[in-house]
Amino acid sequence: MFGIDVRTARVVWTAALVLLGLYCIYTMRTTLLVMLFGVFFSYLVYPLFTLAQRACGLRVPRTLVLLVVFAAVASIIGLVGLLFGNQIVAEATNLGQQLPKLLQPGELERRLPLPAPLEPLRVRLGILLQHLLEGGTAQALPVVRGLGTSLFHAAGNLIYVVVVPIFSFLMILEAPWIESFLASLAQRPDGRLWSNVARGLNDVLSQYVRALALLVLATLVSYSVTLGLLGVPFTLLLAGLAAVLEIIPVFGPLIAALTIIAVAVFSGYGHVWWLVLFFAAYRIFQDYILNPWLMSEGVNVPAILVVFGLLAGDELAGVPGIFLSVPVIAALRMFAVQVRLHRAARLNAGGAAQG
C-alpha cells in the first residue's frame, strides 16, 4: 500500500533487533562477565554437590546439602590461603627487593651462564642483555600502570567476589528446573535444535572448566615439587605464576617457563639446564597425555584458531577475552555441528515422508 516490501521490512527489523541486542550485551558486559564466571564456578562445585547429595540421600534437603558444600569449598580456599599466602607474599617482596641489584650490568655479566666458546663475548652479551631489559622495562611500565588501575578498579568492586558464588549457588539450586525446561523444549518440533545446543554448550563448558582446573592444579603441584627439589629460589611464587598462566593456551606456559628461567639465572641458580629438561618433559606429558585425556574431542580446538582467538580476545576484552577465547570458539564449533546435524535430520525425515 505504501510501497514497502514486506520481506525487506522483516530483514531491516531483524537487523535492528540484532544490533539492539549487541548494544545491550556491550552495555551489560561487566554483569554478563560476572555471571559467566559464576557459571564456571558452578561447573567446579557441581560434581562435589552431586557426590554429597548421593551420600546424604533424599533425607537431607537439597538446599542444606548445597550450603554445606559451599561452606566446605570456602573453608578449603581459606585454609590454602592461610598456609601458602604469607609465604608467596614474602617471596614476592624478597624478589622485588633483589631485582635492582640483580639487574645491574656487572651482576648480569657475572651471573650469565655461557658455554666455554662464548665466554669471550660475556661483556658484550651482558651489555646487550642490559639494553634489552631496559627497553623491555620501558615498554612494560604502561602495562604495569594499566594493571594497577585495573586492580584498583577491581578492589572497588569486591561485591563481585560475593556475587559470583551467590549466582553459582542459585544456578545449581535451580538445575532441576533447567533440566525440565530443556526436556519440554525438546518435545517441540522447532525447539529440538535449541535444546541440543543448550545441552551441547553445557557439555563443552563443563568439560573445559573442569579440565582446565585439573591442568592448573597439576601444574601447581608439579612445579612446586620439582622446583623445590631442584632448589630453585622463590619456589611457591614461580609455581603459582606458572599455574595462573596455564589458563592461557600456547603462550601462557611459554611465558611461565621463560620467566622462571630468567629469575633462576639472575638469582645465581647453577642448574638451569635441569629446569629446561623439566619444562620440556612436562610439556610433552601435559600436551600429549594429560591434556588429550582430560579434554574431549568437542573441546579440543585447532592451534591456529587458538592463536586467532587469543589475539582477538585480547583486542576485544583484554585479559577476560584471552581467558574466554577458547571456550567461545569451542561453543561456536559445537553450535555449527548441531546446526548441521539438525539439517541432516530434517532432510532425512523429509525423504522418509516422501518415500
Side-chain angles (χ1 to χ4, degrees):
M1 180 178 179
F2 296 100
I4 300 176
D5 183 62
V6 177
R7 185 176 180 181
T8 303
R10 288 178 179 176
V11 172
V12 173
W13 175 249
T14 302
L17 289 179
V18 171
L19 292 175
L20 179 62
L22 293 175
Y23 174 76
C24 292
I25 291 174
Y26 178 78
T27 304
M28 300 184 299
R29 60 189 182 278
T30 303
T31 302
L32 294 176
L33 185 62
V34 172
M35 293 178 63
L36 187 57
F37 280 113
V39 172
F40 288 168
F41 190 70
S42 301
Y43 286 127
L44 295 178
V45 176
Y46 190 75
L48 301 177
F49 169 70
T50 303
L51 293 176
Q53 195 174 31
R54 290 177 182 175
C56 296
L58 298 177
R59 302 183 305 273
V60 182
R62 179 184 180 89
T63 304
L64 181 59
V65 176
L66 190 56
L67 284 173
V68 172
V69 170
F70 266 79
V73 171
S75 301
I76 293 174
I77 294 175
L79 180 61
V80 171
L82 289 176
L83 291 177
F84 303 106
N86 292 333
Q87 186 172 351
I88 293 177
V89 171
E91 290 182 356
T93 304
N94 188 17
L95 178 61
Q97 294 174 350
Q98 293 185 20
L99 273 180
K101 180 181 178 181
L102 296 176
L103 297 181
Q104 292 179 358
E107 288 292 324
L108 283 177
E109 296 174 10
R110 186 175 64 84
R111 296 177 183 271
L112 192 63
L114 293 176
L118 297 179
E119 193 63 35
L121 301 177
R122 175 174 294 274
V123 176
R124 294 183 180 180
L125 290 176
I127 296 174
L128 175 62
L129 183 59
Q130 181 67 26
H131 289 320
L132 291 176
L133 289 174
E134 290 176 354
T137 303
Q139 294 179 0
L141 282 178
V143 178
V144 173
R145 292 193 187 99
L147 180 60
T149 304
S150 301
L151 292 177
F152 181 78
H153 177 73
N157 294 278
L158 291 179
I159 186 63
Y160 296 143
V161 179
V162 181
V163 172
V164 168
I166 290 177
F167 180 81
S168 176
F169 179 90
L170 295 176
M171 183 177 178
I172 296 176
L173 193 63
E174 299 297 333
W177 178 85
I178 297 175
E179 286 291 336
S180 62
F181 172 75
L182 292 179
S184 63
L185 185 64
Q187 300 301 322
R188 304 176 182 177
D190 56 345
R192 184 175 298 274
L193 170 62
W194 299 109
S195 176
N196 292 336
V197 168
R199 295 185 185 277
L201 183 61
N202 175 68
D203 294 338
V204 167
L205 290 181
S206 61
Q207 186 77 16
Y208 177 78
V209 172
R210 294 166 191 172
L212 185 61
L214 292 176
L215 290 175
V216 170
L217 181 61
T219 300
L220 179 62
V221 173
S222 301
Y223 276 58
S224 299
V225 173
T226 305
L227 297 183
L229 292 176
L230 293 177
V232 179
F234 314 109
T235 298
L236 284 181
L237 176 63
L238 297 178
L241 175 65
V244 171
L245 291 176
E246 191 68 31
I247 67 176
I248 302 177
V250 183
F251 298 112
L254 178 61
I255 295 174
L258 294 178
T259 302
I260 293 173
I261 291 175
V263 172
V265 168
F266 296 147
S267 301
Y269 182 71
H271 305 286
V272 178
W273 290 111
W274 285 109
L275 282 177
V276 175
L277 290 177
F278 163 70
F279 292 143
Y282 185 75
R283 291 324 308 175
I284 292 174
F285 168 75
Q286 180 92 305
D287 295 337
Y288 295 99
I289 299 178
L290 185 60
N291 200 340
W293 180 64
L294 293 175
M295 297 284 189
S296 67
E297 184 179 355
V299 179
N300 282 327
V301 178
I304 188 171
L305 290 181
V306 171
V307 176
F308 171 78
L310 293 175
L311 297 177
D314 179 53
E315 290 289 335
L316 292 173
V319 176
I322 293 175
F323 173 74
L324 298 174
S325 59
V326 174
V328 168
I329 293 175
L332 293 175
R333 179 184 178 187
M334 180 276 305
F335 178 74
V337 171
Q338 291 295 336
V339 170
R340 186 172 68 250
L341 293 176
H342 181 72
R343 289 180 177 176
R346 291 183 62 181
L347 290 176
N348 292 334
Q354 291 179 1

